[in-house]
Amino acid sequence: MSLLKTIAAELVEFVSGGIAPVYVLDDARRIVYCNTACARWSGTKISDLVGRECAFHTPGEQDGPAAIAAGLCPPPKVFSGQTRTALVSCLRPDGSLVHRQGHFFPLDDGQDESSPVLVILDREDASPSIAQSADGQAEPSPELQLHEQLRRLRLLMAGRFHAESLLGSHPWIVRARAQIALAAQTRANVLCTGPRGTGKAHASKAIHYSQRESGHFVPLSCAVLEPNSLRASLRSLWLKHSATSGQAATVLLEEVDRLPGEAQDELVGLLRSGVAAVRVIATTEKPVAELIAEGEFSSELAGLLSTITIELPPLGQRSDDVPLLAQAFLEDANAAGIKQLGGFSTDALDQMLAYPWPGNVDELRLLVREAHDRAHGGEVTARDLPEKIGWAADATAHPRRSDDPIVLEEFLAGVEKELITRALRRAKGNKSKAARLLGLTRPRLYRRLIQLGLEKATGKSPDATP
């Protein structure tokens, strides 16, 4: 055996019995080695981790070897040859999320697109608040902060529902998540309102599939189906589930406000039939109170559908959630493909925050997916975003001057007042001299002083000495 092989074997033996967790990833992000300390800390077997491919993302399912491998993944820039220090996370069998500082060392000169990586974890668990950045400072990089925030939020949501559009910390979306959790515990009818693209269908599925015995989920688009077909489908569902004991179903009526009057009346009758096995989740873009006021919706039907009402806000009104949502969609793209990106540049995030998002969360999801495909570095930059995003940022930075109307008389009076004031100042208050400077007679100047509010009428002759 050569000296080099002997040293390598002794090094592996030393690391294998070491106290600090150690693992190695190849250039395809597969775990090719982990020591006993690493397996012990993660609460799994070496054989369950070795061979696992890990992507830089936070999985929706938070348990099992795949989720553990995702938590061990380095920031993407490490694979391009950058030595970094960052937090790694692990969800233990008791449900606790633990963290350790990971020290990531590329194992080549960084000339290739992807490099194997050696990872050494600290011996003690760490708090997420002390994660370090690449330069060793106490403050982690923005993308790693978002990554960890996303992990904690998905852990909070795990086991209850999975809907990416519901991520965020804005009070409106926090309230919507609480309402969805409440609706998932009952069989009550639910009305979900909000502009197109806010995630009403995702929320509806979260309510249905969060239940232990969810039964069938039947989506029906009230805007697409012909009225007769829709009415026939509704009657068929009610007849089927009223005759089948114990077979529950959830009917999703998308855009229920598009139902014609006859179909609305029929739905009222079906809901009053008392078939407990059928639960209705309906969606509208406008609040039902507004629809009723416009005469477009049955107040009786609104009352039957809105046992629980969930309002999803437009993304433009919770723009603080844009960075977290964008990070989530970016990491989903990481998990689905080979390319790995760490996050967004500051200028890209600034432009995204300035954009009004008329298409709401659905528009953001599509944009991030396309930007992920276009990006060539380790992050999405402003040049990877569509031009319309930059235009919105420019418009915000340089707002258009308002076209306030100019009232000619007021404008001219202001100019005249300024000229008279200057003349009086030069004449040291002598009205006769000021009149001569202005080319006016003294009586006319006196009248203009009173009309412009520069002097009160005193009853004195305008020819009197001032």
Side-chain angles (χ1 to χ4, degrees):
M1 180 179 295
S2 67
L3 177 61
L4 183 60
K5 288 185 177 180
T6 301
I7 294 174
E10 291 177 352
L11 179 61
V12 169
E13 182 179 358
F14 173 76
V15 170
S16 298
I19 299 176
V22 176
Y23 56 99
V24 178
L25 300 100
D26 65 12
D27 55 4
R29 306 188 316 279
R30 286 189 300 265
I31 299 175
V32 293
Y33 169 80
C34 78
N35 66 356
T36 303
C38 180
R40 187 183 303 115
W41 177 72
S42 62
T44 188
K45 300 176 181 177
I46 293 177
S47 58
D48 288 335
L49 287 180
V50 172
R52 291 273 178 187
E53 181 179 321
C54 55
F56 186 72
H57 77 296
T58 52
E61 296 296 334
Q62 292 287 336
D63 55 358
I68 294 173
L72 298 177
C73 187
K77 291 181 180 179
V78 172
F79 291 101
S80 62
Q82 293 187 19
T83 299
R84 298 201 69 170
T85 296
L87 209 65
V88 297
S89 306
C90 179
L91 183 66
R92 287 178 172 163
D94 62 1
S96 61
L97 184 64
V98 292
H99 309 81
R100 284 196 183 180
Q101 287 279 41
H103 307 277
F104 303 97
F105 303 97
L107 297 179
D108 66 10
D109 56 8
Q111 298 300 313
D112 297 328
E113 290 187 2
S114 188
S115 164
V117 176
L118 168 67
V119 186
I120 302 175
L121 303 185
D122 287 350
R123 296 182 182 183
E124 302 293 335
D125 290 344
S127 167
S129 61
I130 65 169
Q132 289 184 332
S133 59
D135 57 5
Q137 299 299 314
E139 185 69 18
S141 61
E143 67 267 20
L144 294 181
Q145 287 181 328
L146 286 171
H147 180 69
E148 189 57 34
Q149 182 184 353
L150 185 60
R151 182 184 302 282
R152 292 196 298 270
L153 188 53
R154 277 180 162 158
L155 176 61
L156 178 67
M157 294 169 62
R160 297 193 298 166
F161 46 79
H162 306 294
E164 300 306 315
S165 58
L166 302 174
L167 290 169
S169 57
H170 190 281
W172 284 357
I173 207 67
V174 172
R175 180 182 64 184
R177 287 201 299 266
Q179 291 171 323
I180 289 170
L182 173 64
Q185 298 173 13
T186 73
R187 292 289 300 169
N189 295 331
V190 178
L191 183 65
C192 189
T193 68
R196 188 183 299 272
T198 51
K200 298 187 293 293
H202 297 287
S204 302
K205 291 177 182 178
I207 293 170
H208 175 73
Y209 289 108
S210 293
Q211 295 186 322
R212 184 171 298 176
E213 297 179 1
S214 54
H216 299 292
F217 183 79
V218 185
L220 295 174
S221 174
C222 301
V224 174
L225 290 175
E226 291 291 332
N228 289 336
S229 300
L230 186 59
R231 292 167 68 184
S233 298
L234 290 172
R235 285 196 300 270
S236 174
L237 281 167
W238 254 260
L239 287 172
K240 175 181 178 181
H241 292 283
S242 61
T244 308
S245 176
Q247 187 178 18
T250 296
V251 180
L252 171 60
L253 296 178
E254 297 184 274
E255 297 182 272
V256 71
D257 49 310
R258 301 287 291 272
L259 277 177
E262 301 83 0
Q264 289 187 32
D265 294 339
E266 184 143 359
L267 182 56
V268 168
L270 293 171
L271 290 170
R272 289 197 176 281
S273 66
V275 179
V278 178
R279 188 259 288 276
V280 175
I281 301 177
T283 71
T284 64
E285 289 191 32
K286 294 181 179 179
V288 287
E290 185 176 335
L291 295 170
I292 294 170
E294 294 172 353
E296 299 179 3
F297 204 67
S298 163
S299 58
E300 186 176 10
L301 179 56
L304 291 169
L305 290 175
S306 56
T307 305
I308 298 175
T309 300
I310 299 170
E311 297 182 18
L312 293 179
L315 184 56
Q317 293 183 13
R318 59 177 186 114
S319 57
D320 287 350
D321 287 338
V322 167
L324 183 67
L325 285 164
Q327 184 72 23
F329 299 143
L330 184 81
E331 293 188 11
D332 289 345
N334 285 345
I338 296 175
K339 183 188 292 185
Q340 301 290 293
L341 303 180
F344 298 81
S345 67
T346 301
D347 57 349
L349 282 179
D350 288 344
Q351 290 191 11
M352 292 165 71
L353 286 168
Y355 185 65
W357 300 107
N360 295 296
V361 178
D362 287 352
E363 183 182 7
L364 176 61
R365 181 186 289 107
L366 180 60
L367 179 143
V368 170
R369 189 182 305 156
E370 293 174 350
H372 186 278
D373 291 340
R374 284 194 294 268
H376 294 291
E379 61 184 5
V380 172
T381 64
R383 66 175 176 271
D384 302 317
L385 303 177
E387 286 186 331
K388 65 179 182 180
I389 306 297
W391 294 339
D394 289 341
T396 301
H398 305 95
R400 185 178 179 181
R401 302 176 95 181
S402 60
D403 296 328
D404 295 332
I406 299 174
V407 181
L408 183 59
E409 290 184 2
E410 293 181 1
F411 178 78
L412 292 177
V415 173
E416 186 177 5
K417 185 183 285 189
E418 176 64 21
L419 290 174
I420 291 174
T421 301
R422 289 185 183 182
L424 286 169
R425 192 180 301 122
R426 287 182 61 183
K428 299 181 180 179
N430 187 306
K431 294 183 178 63
S432 297
K433 186 176 180 181
R436 287 196 300 272
L437 289 171
L438 293 167
L440 303 175
T441 64
R442 192 179 189 286
R444 185 179 178 187
L445 173 61
Y446 188 75
R447 287 195 299 272
R448 292 306 292 160
L449 287 171
I450 294 173
Q451 291 167 355
L452 295 172
L454 294 174
E455 182 168 306
K456 294 182 180 179
T458 62
K460 294 181 180 180
S461 168
D463 293 323
T465 301

PDB file of all heavy atoms in Angstrom, residues 204-233:
ATOM      1  N   SER A 204     -58.342  25.922  -0.627  1.00  0.00           N
ATOM      2  CA  SER A 204     -59.436  24.950  -0.599  1.00  0.00           C
ATOM      3  C   SER A 204     -58.900  23.528  -0.485  1.00  0.00           C
ATOM      4  O   SER A 204     -59.428  22.713   0.291  1.00  0.00           O
ATOM      5  CB  SER A 204     -60.283  25.097  -1.867  1.00  0.00           C
ATOM      6  OG  SER A 204     -60.794  26.409  -1.991  1.00  0.00           O
ATOM      7  N   LYS A 205     -57.853  23.229  -1.239  1.00  0.00           N
ATOM      8  CA  LYS A 205     -57.256  21.896  -1.153  1.00  0.00           C
ATOM      9  C   LYS A 205     -56.619  21.671   0.209  1.00  0.00           C
ATOM     10  O   LYS A 205     -56.670  20.550   0.753  1.00  0.00           O
ATOM     11  CB  LYS A 205     -56.218  21.720  -2.262  1.00  0.00           C
ATOM     12  CG  LYS A 205     -56.825  21.660  -3.650  1.00  0.00           C
ATOM     13  CD  LYS A 205     -55.737  21.571  -4.711  1.00  0.00           C
ATOM     14  CE  LYS A 205     -56.345  21.566  -6.105  1.00  0.00           C
ATOM     15  NZ  LYS A 205     -55.303  21.535  -7.163  1.00  0.00           N
ATOM     16  N   ALA A 206     -56.014  22.723   0.770  1.00  0.00           N
ATOM     17  CA  ALA A 206     -55.415  22.598   2.100  1.00  0.00           C
ATOM     18  C   ALA A 206     -56.474  22.249   3.133  1.00  0.00           C
ATOM     19  O   ALA A 206     -56.248  21.414   4.020  1.00  0.00           O
ATOM     20  CB  ALA A 206     -54.719  23.905   2.482  1.00  0.00           C
ATOM     21  N   ILE A 207     -57.639  22.869   3.041  1.00  0.00           N
ATOM     22  CA  ILE A 207     -58.734  22.565   3.972  1.00  0.00           C
ATOM     23  C   ILE A 207     -59.158  21.113   3.829  1.00  0.00           C
ATOM     24  O   ILE A 207     -59.295  20.387   4.823  1.00  0.00           O
ATOM     25  CB  ILE A 207     -59.932  23.504   3.699  1.00  0.00           C
ATOM     26  CG1 ILE A 207     -59.580  24.945   4.057  1.00  0.00           C
ATOM     27  CG2 ILE A 207     -61.165  23.042   4.490  1.00  0.00           C
ATOM     28  CD1 ILE A 207     -60.603  25.955   3.595  1.00  0.00           C
ATOM     29  N   HIS A 208     -59.343  20.683   2.600  1.00  0.00           N
ATOM     30  CA  HIS A 208     -59.855  19.320   2.370  1.00  0.00           C
ATOM     31  C   HIS A 208     -58.850  18.250   2.781  1.00  0.00           C
ATOM     32  O   HIS A 208     -59.181  17.329   3.535  1.00  0.00           O
ATOM     33  CB  HIS A 208     -60.214  19.160   0.887  1.00  0.00           C
ATOM     34  CG  HIS A 208     -60.627  17.770   0.515  1.00  0.00           C
ATOM     35  ND1 HIS A 208     -61.844  17.235   0.877  1.00  0.00           N
ATOM     36  CD2 HIS A 208     -59.971  16.780  -0.162  1.00  0.00           C
ATOM     37  CE1 HIS A 208     -61.938  15.999   0.425  1.00  0.00           C
ATOM     38  NE2 HIS A 208     -60.810  15.697  -0.206  1.00  0.00           N
ATOM     39  N   TYR A 209     -57.608  18.368   2.306  1.00  0.00           N
ATOM     40  CA  TYR A 209     -56.638  17.287   2.517  1.00  0.00           C
ATOM     41  C   TYR A 209     -56.001  17.314   3.903  1.00  0.00           C
ATOM     42  O   TYR A 209     -55.260  16.390   4.263  1.00  0.00           O
ATOM     43  CB  TYR A 209     -55.562  17.338   1.429  1.00  0.00           C
ATOM     44  CG  TYR A 209     -56.087  16.931   0.076  1.00  0.00           C
ATOM     45  CD1 TYR A 209     -56.274  17.855  -0.938  1.00  0.00           C
ATOM     46  CD2 TYR A 209     -56.440  15.602  -0.169  1.00  0.00           C
ATOM     47  CE1 TYR A 209     -56.781  17.482  -2.174  1.00  0.00           C
ATOM     48  CE2 TYR A 209     -56.941  15.212  -1.398  1.00  0.00           C
ATOM     49  CZ  TYR A 209     -57.106  16.156  -2.399  1.00  0.00           C
ATOM     50  OH  TYR A 209     -57.616  15.780  -3.625  1.00  0.00           O
ATOM     51  N   SER A 210     -56.294  18.331   4.696  1.00  0.00           N
ATOM     52  CA  SER A 210     -55.807  18.335   6.076  1.00  0.00           C
ATOM     53  C   SER A 210     -56.632  17.423   6.969  1.00  0.00           C
ATOM     54  O   SER A 210     -56.207  17.096   8.078  1.00  0.00           O
ATOM     55  CB  SER A 210     -55.844  19.762   6.639  1.00  0.00           C
ATOM     56  OG  SER A 210     -54.920  20.581   5.972  1.00  0.00           O
ATOM     57  N   GLN A 211     -57.789  17.014   6.497  1.00  0.00           N
ATOM     58  CA  GLN A 211     -58.649  16.148   7.306  1.00  0.00           C
ATOM     59  C   GLN A 211     -58.203  14.698   7.193  1.00  0.00           C
ATOM     60  O   GLN A 211     -57.772  14.243   6.127  1.00  0.00           O
ATOM     61  CB  GLN A 211     -60.108  16.298   6.879  1.00  0.00           C
ATOM     62  CG  GLN A 211     -60.647  17.699   7.144  1.00  0.00           C
ATOM     63  CD  GLN A 211     -62.122  17.808   6.860  1.00  0.00           C
ATOM     64  OE1 GLN A 211     -62.623  17.237   5.918  1.00  0.00           O
ATOM     65  NE2 GLN A 211     -62.821  18.554   7.700  1.00  0.00           N
ATOM     66  N   ARG A 212     -58.314  13.992   8.288  1.00  0.00           N
ATOM     67  CA  ARG A 212     -57.834  12.603   8.332  1.00  0.00           C
ATOM     68  C   ARG A 212     -58.587  11.736   7.325  1.00  0.00           C
ATOM     69  O   ARG A 212     -58.005  10.936   6.608  1.00  0.00           O
ATOM     70  CB  ARG A 212     -58.010  12.047   9.748  1.00  0.00           C
ATOM     71  CG  ARG A 212     -57.458  10.634   9.915  1.00  0.00           C
ATOM     72  CD  ARG A 212     -57.460  10.248  11.378  1.00  0.00           C
ATOM     73  NE  ARG A 212     -56.591  11.130  12.156  1.00  0.00           N
ATOM     74  CZ  ARG A 212     -56.467  11.053  13.480  1.00  0.00           C
ATOM     75  NH1 ARG A 212     -57.154  10.163  14.185  1.00  0.00           N
ATOM     76  NH2 ARG A 212     -55.657  11.881  14.114  1.00  0.00           N
ATOM     77  N   GLU A 213     -59.897  11.859   7.266  1.00  0.00           N
ATOM     78  CA  GLU A 213     -60.707  11.130   6.295  1.00  0.00           C
ATOM     79  C   GLU A 213     -61.308  12.153   5.345  1.00  0.00           C
ATOM     80  O   GLU A 213     -62.437  12.597   5.518  1.00  0.00           O
ATOM     81  CB  GLU A 213     -61.790  10.317   7.006  1.00  0.00           C
ATOM     82  CG  GLU A 213     -61.222   9.240   7.925  1.00  0.00           C
ATOM     83  CD  GLU A 213     -62.292   8.465   8.648  1.00  0.00           C
ATOM     84  OE1 GLU A 213     -63.487   8.755   8.413  1.00  0.00           O
ATOM     85  OE2 GLU A 213     -61.950   7.571   9.423  1.00  0.00           O
ATOM     86  N   SER A 214     -60.536  12.515   4.356  1.00  0.00           N
ATOM     87  CA  SER A 214     -60.940  13.634   3.513  1.00  0.00           C
ATOM     88  C   SER A 214     -61.971  13.263   2.463  1.00  0.00           C
ATOM     89  O   SER A 214     -62.785  14.095   2.065  1.00  0.00           O
ATOM     90  CB  SER A 214     -59.695  14.232   2.836  1.00  0.00           C
ATOM     91  OG  SER A 214     -58.974  13.244   2.140  1.00  0.00           O
ATOM     92  N   GLY A 215     -61.972  12.034   1.994  1.00  0.00           N
ATOM     93  CA  GLY A 215     -62.929  11.643   0.972  1.00  0.00           C
ATOM     94  C   GLY A 215     -62.587  12.247  -0.379  1.00  0.00           C
ATOM     95  O   GLY A 215     -61.456  12.628  -0.650  1.00  0.00           O
ATOM     96  N   HIS A 216     -63.597  12.337  -1.237  1.00  0.00           N
ATOM     97  CA  HIS A 216     -63.382  12.829  -2.594  1.00  0.00           C
ATOM     98  C   HIS A 216     -63.309  14.357  -2.622  1.00  0.00           C
ATOM     99  O   HIS A 216     -63.987  15.038  -1.864  1.00  0.00           O
ATOM    100  CB  HIS A 216     -64.516  12.362  -3.517  1.00  0.00           C
ATOM    101  CG  HIS A 216     -64.616  10.871  -3.625  1.00  0.00           C
ATOM    102  ND1 HIS A 216     -63.655  10.109  -4.243  1.00  0.00           N
ATOM    103  CD2 HIS A 216     -65.566  10.008  -3.188  1.00  0.00           C
ATOM    104  CE1 HIS A 216     -64.005   8.828  -4.186  1.00  0.00           C
ATOM    105  NE2 HIS A 216     -65.162   8.745  -3.545  1.00  0.00           N
ATOM    106  N   PHE A 217     -62.496  14.855  -3.550  1.00  0.00           N
ATOM    107  CA  PHE A 217     -62.402  16.303  -3.779  1.00  0.00           C
ATOM    108  C   PHE A 217     -62.819  16.549  -5.221  1.00  0.00           C
ATOM    109  O   PHE A 217     -62.169  16.072  -6.158  1.00  0.00           O
ATOM    110  CB  PHE A 217     -60.975  16.792  -3.530  1.00  0.00           C
ATOM    111  CG  PHE A 217     -60.817  18.280  -3.669  1.00  0.00           C
ATOM    112  CD1 PHE A 217     -61.207  19.130  -2.639  1.00  0.00           C
ATOM    113  CD2 PHE A 217     -60.280  18.839  -4.832  1.00  0.00           C
ATOM    114  CE1 PHE A 217     -61.058  20.506  -2.760  1.00  0.00           C
ATOM    115  CE2 PHE A 217     -60.127  20.206  -4.952  1.00  0.00           C
ATOM    116  CZ  PHE A 217     -60.518  21.045  -3.915  1.00  0.00           C
ATOM    117  N   VAL A 218     -63.910  17.270  -5.414  1.00  0.00           N
ATOM    118  CA  VAL A 218     -64.493  17.452  -6.745  1.00  0.00           C
ATOM    119  C   VAL A 218     -64.518  18.938  -7.098  1.00  0.00           C
ATOM    120  O   VAL A 218     -65.373  19.680  -6.604  1.00  0.00           O
ATOM    121  CB  VAL A 218     -65.925  16.881  -6.817  1.00  0.00           C
ATOM    122  CG1 VAL A 218     -66.454  16.969  -8.243  1.00  0.00           C
ATOM    123  CG2 VAL A 218     -65.957  15.453  -6.312  1.00  0.00           C
ATOM    124  N   PRO A 219     -63.579  19.411  -7.944  1.00  0.00           N
ATOM    125  CA  PRO A 219     -63.601  20.823  -8.348  1.00  0.00           C
ATOM    126  C   PRO A 219     -64.537  21.037  -9.538  1.00  0.00           C
ATOM    127  O   PRO A 219     -64.526  20.269 -10.504  1.00  0.00           O
ATOM    128  CB  PRO A 219     -62.154  21.096  -8.738  1.00  0.00           C
ATOM    129  CG  PRO A 219     -61.613  19.769  -9.166  1.00  0.00           C
ATOM    130  CD  PRO A 219     -62.373  18.716  -8.417  1.00  0.00           C
ATOM    131  N   LEU A 220     -65.355  22.072  -9.472  1.00  0.00           N
ATOM    132  CA  LEU A 220     -66.258  22.437 -10.556  1.00  0.00           C
ATOM    133  C   LEU A 220     -66.097  23.931 -10.827  1.00  0.00           C
ATOM    134  O   LEU A 220     -66.206  24.744  -9.902  1.00  0.00           O
ATOM    135  CB  LEU A 220     -67.714  22.132 -10.196  1.00  0.00           C
ATOM    136  CG  LEU A 220     -68.095  20.661  -9.991  1.00  0.00           C
ATOM    137  CD1 LEU A 220     -69.536  20.560  -9.508  1.00  0.00           C
ATOM    138  CD2 LEU A 220     -67.922  19.878 -11.288  1.00  0.00           C
ATOM    139  N   SER A 221     -65.846  24.271 -12.078  1.00  0.00           N
ATOM    140  CA  SER A 221     -65.680  25.674 -12.443  1.00  0.00           C
ATOM    141  C   SER A 221     -67.022  26.235 -12.912  1.00  0.00           C
ATOM    142  O   SER A 221     -67.535  25.841 -13.958  1.00  0.00           O
ATOM    143  CB  SER A 221     -64.636  25.826 -13.554  1.00  0.00           C
ATOM    144  OG  SER A 221     -64.576  27.164 -13.984  1.00  0.00           O
ATOM    145  N   CYS A 222     -67.568  27.142 -12.140  1.00  0.00           N
ATOM    146  CA  CYS A 222     -68.863  27.726 -12.486  1.00  0.00           C
ATOM    147  C   CYS A 222     -68.762  28.650 -13.695  1.00  0.00           C
ATOM    148  O   CYS A 222     -69.771  28.971 -14.318  1.00  0.00           O
ATOM    149  CB  CYS A 222     -69.418  28.504 -11.289  1.00  0.00           C
ATOM    150  SG  CYS A 222     -69.651  27.492  -9.816  1.00  0.00           S
ATOM    151  N   ALA A 223     -67.549  29.092 -14.024  1.00  0.00           N
ATOM    152  CA  ALA A 223     -67.372  29.995 -15.159  1.00  0.00           C
ATOM    153  C   ALA A 223     -67.237  29.235 -16.473  1.00  0.00           C
ATOM    154  O   ALA A 223     -67.486  29.796 -17.542  1.00  0.00           O
ATOM    155  CB  ALA A 223     -66.142  30.867 -14.945  1.00  0.00           C
ATOM    156  N   VAL A 224     -66.837  27.956 -16.415  1.00  0.00           N
ATOM    157  CA  VAL A 224     -66.562  27.186 -17.625  1.00  0.00           C
ATOM    158  C   VAL A 224     -67.725  26.276 -17.996  1.00  0.00           C
ATOM    159  O   VAL A 224     -68.116  26.180 -19.160  1.00  0.00           O
ATOM    160  CB  VAL A 224     -65.270  26.357 -17.453  1.00  0.00           C
ATOM    161  CG1 VAL A 224     -65.048  25.447 -18.641  1.00  0.00           C
ATOM    162  CG2 VAL A 224     -64.077  27.288 -17.265  1.00  0.00           C
ATOM    163  N   LEU A 225     -68.308  25.593 -17.010  1.00  0.00           N
ATOM    164  CA  LEU A 225     -69.369  24.639 -17.283  1.00  0.00           C
ATOM    165  C   LEU A 225     -70.638  25.337 -17.732  1.00  0.00           C
ATOM    166  O   LEU A 225     -70.990  26.412 -17.236  1.00  0.00           O
ATOM    167  CB  LEU A 225     -69.657  23.796 -16.037  1.00  0.00           C
ATOM    168  CG  LEU A 225     -68.572  22.790 -15.625  1.00  0.00           C
ATOM    169  CD1 LEU A 225     -68.952  22.127 -14.321  1.00  0.00           C
ATOM    170  CD2 LEU A 225     -68.364  21.735 -16.704  1.00  0.00           C
ATOM    171  N   GLU A 226     -71.322  24.714 -18.680  1.00  0.00           N
ATOM    172  CA  GLU A 226     -72.638  25.215 -19.076  1.00  0.00           C
ATOM    173  C   GLU A 226     -73.602  25.076 -17.902  1.00  0.00           C
ATOM    174  O   GLU A 226     -73.480  24.134 -17.102  1.00  0.00           O
ATOM    175  CB  GLU A 226     -73.164  24.405 -20.269  1.00  0.00           C
ATOM    176  CG  GLU A 226     -72.393  24.635 -21.567  1.00  0.00           C
ATOM    177  CD  GLU A 226     -72.619  26.038 -22.107  1.00  0.00           C
ATOM    178  OE1 GLU A 226     -73.703  26.604 -21.839  1.00  0.00           O
ATOM    179  OE2 GLU A 226     -71.719  26.563 -22.774  1.00  0.00           O
ATOM    180  N   PRO A 227     -74.554  26.016 -17.763  1.00  0.00           N
ATOM    181  CA  PRO A 227     -75.483  25.960 -16.622  1.00  0.00           C
ATOM    182  C   PRO A 227     -76.166  24.610 -16.458  1.00  0.00           C
ATOM    183  O   PRO A 227     -76.256  24.082 -15.348  1.00  0.00           O
ATOM    184  CB  PRO A 227     -76.483  27.071 -16.935  1.00  0.00           C
ATOM    185  CG  PRO A 227     -75.719  28.042 -17.774  1.00  0.00           C
ATOM    186  CD  PRO A 227     -74.783  27.215 -18.591  1.00  0.00           C
ATOM    187  N   ASN A 228     -76.619  24.015 -17.564  1.00  0.00           N
ATOM    188  CA  ASN A 228     -77.313  22.722 -17.452  1.00  0.00           C
ATOM    189  C   ASN A 228     -76.364  21.619 -16.994  1.00  0.00           C
ATOM    190  O   ASN A 228     -76.736  20.769 -16.180  1.00  0.00           O
ATOM    191  CB  ASN A 228     -77.945  22.354 -18.801  1.00  0.00           C
ATOM    192  CG  ASN A 228     -79.137  23.232 -19.141  1.00  0.00           C
ATOM    193  OD1 ASN A 228     -79.768  23.794 -18.244  1.00  0.00           O
ATOM    194  ND2 ASN A 228     -79.441  23.352 -20.432  1.00  0.00           N
ATOM    195  N   SER A 229     -75.119  21.639 -17.510  1.00  0.00           N
ATOM    196  CA  SER A 229     -74.133  20.629 -17.098  1.00  0.00           C
ATOM    197  C   SER A 229     -73.785  20.795 -15.625  1.00  0.00           C
ATOM    198  O   SER A 229     -73.633  19.807 -14.887  1.00  0.00           O
ATOM    199  CB  SER A 229     -72.868  20.750 -17.947  1.00  0.00           C
ATOM    200  OG  SER A 229     -73.142  20.552 -19.300  1.00  0.00           O
ATOM    201  N   LEU A 230     -73.652  22.032 -15.195  1.00  0.00           N
ATOM    202  CA  LEU A 230     -73.315  22.298 -13.802  1.00  0.00           C
ATOM    203  C   LEU A 230     -74.432  21.841 -12.876  1.00  0.00           C
ATOM    204  O   LEU A 230     -74.182  21.202 -11.849  1.00  0.00           O
ATOM    205  CB  LEU A 230     -73.043  23.783 -13.623  1.00  0.00           C
ATOM    206  CG  LEU A 230     -72.536  24.232 -12.246  1.00  0.00           C
ATOM    207  CD1 LEU A 230     -71.233  23.541 -11.903  1.00  0.00           C
ATOM    208  CD2 LEU A 230     -72.340  25.746 -12.220  1.00  0.00           C
ATOM    209  N   ARG A 231     -75.670  22.151 -13.224  1.00  0.00           N
ATOM    210  CA  ARG A 231     -76.806  21.748 -12.398  1.00  0.00           C
ATOM    211  C   ARG A 231     -76.904  20.224 -12.337  1.00  0.00           C
ATOM    212  O   ARG A 231     -77.158  19.646 -11.275  1.00  0.00           O
ATOM    213  CB  ARG A 231     -78.088  22.352 -12.962  1.00  0.00           C
ATOM    214  CG  ARG A 231     -78.146  23.863 -12.821  1.00  0.00           C
ATOM    215  CD  ARG A 231     -79.245  24.474 -13.639  1.00  0.00           C
ATOM    216  NE  ARG A 231     -80.567  24.119 -13.152  1.00  0.00           N
ATOM    217  CZ  ARG A 231     -81.703  24.466 -13.757  1.00  0.00           C
ATOM    218  NH1 ARG A 231     -81.650  25.182 -14.879  1.00  0.00           N
ATOM    219  NH2 ARG A 231     -82.856  24.120 -13.244  1.00  0.00           N
ATOM    220  N   ALA A 232     -76.650  19.554 -13.491  1.00  0.00           N
ATOM    221  CA  ALA A 232     -76.699  18.086 -13.510  1.00  0.00           C
ATOM    222  C   ALA A 232     -75.597  17.492 -12.645  1.00  0.00           C
ATOM    223  O   ALA A 232     -75.817  16.512 -11.916  1.00  0.00           O
ATOM    224  CB  ALA A 232     -76.567  17.587 -14.946  1.00  0.00           C
ATOM    225  N   SER A 233     -74.404  18.107 -12.680  1.00  0.00           N
ATOM    226  CA  SER A 233     -73.284  17.615 -11.860  1.00  0.00           C
ATOM    227  C   SER A 233     -73.595  17.757 -10.379  1.00  0.00           C
ATOM    228  O   SER A 233     -73.311  16.856  -9.585  1.00  0.00           O
ATOM    229  CB  SER A 233     -72.013  18.375 -12.210  1.00  0.00           C
ATOM    230  OG  SER A 233     -71.643  18.174 -13.549  1.00  0.00           O
TER     231      SER A 233
END
